[in-house]
Amino acid sequence: MADETVVGGDDWVAQVRAPEGLTVIRKADSDERWVGLYGDDAHDLDVTGMLAAVVGPLADADISVFVASTFHSDLVLVPEAQKATAVSVLEAAGHTVREADEIRLL
């Protein structure tokens, strides 16, 4: 990667370079906070519907999401102000959410 497409420092969580530009997920200094939900079960890349099973119920509940996927799992961020509702929605959809699954990122 060219130097202009890499973010320096240790405070970034993920960076993705796409044809449209560079997206960086990092700790924010703003008042807008997001909570990350990270799946603890790795799945093969050819398994379909894993992410849709999480973001579908959240969309139905009008909860915004930001997603970053890795080889091992998907990181689904929701606004911190909607955390309790998001957890309730996911549990109602059959998911198990443990406090250990949550990490405060932004």
Side-chain angles (χ1 to χ4, degrees):
M1 257 194 257
D3 289 340
E4 64 271 13
T5 63
V6 177
V7 176
D10 292 330
D11 62 344
W12 61 273
V13 176
Q15 53 185 340
V16 178
R17 176 79 175 147
E20 308 81 43
L22 179 66
T23 298
V24 178
I25 303 171
R26 64 189 316 164
K27 293 180 181 178
D29 293 328
S30 71
D31 291 333
E32 184 177 13
R33 300 283 182 189
W34 292 67
V35 173
L37 303 170
Y38 187 75
D40 61 357
D41 294 328
H43 55 81
D44 291 331
L45 294 177
D46 61 351
V47 175
T48 60
M50 298 290 289
L51 184 56
V54 174
V55 298
L58 295 172
D60 291 343
D62 202 30
I63 298 174
S64 298
V65 300
F66 185 90
V67 177
S69 295
T70 70
F71 178 77
H72 300 286
S73 193
D74 300 303
L75 175 65
V76 178
L77 293 106
V78 299
E80 185 177 55
Q82 293 182 296
K83 172 186 164 186
T85 304
V87 169
S88 295
V89 165
L90 291 172
E91 289 175 340
H95 298 284
T96 300
V97 180
R98 296 183 310 269
E99 190 68 27
D101 293 335
E102 303 172 22
I103 52 174
R104 183 179 174 150
L105 291 180
L106 302 175

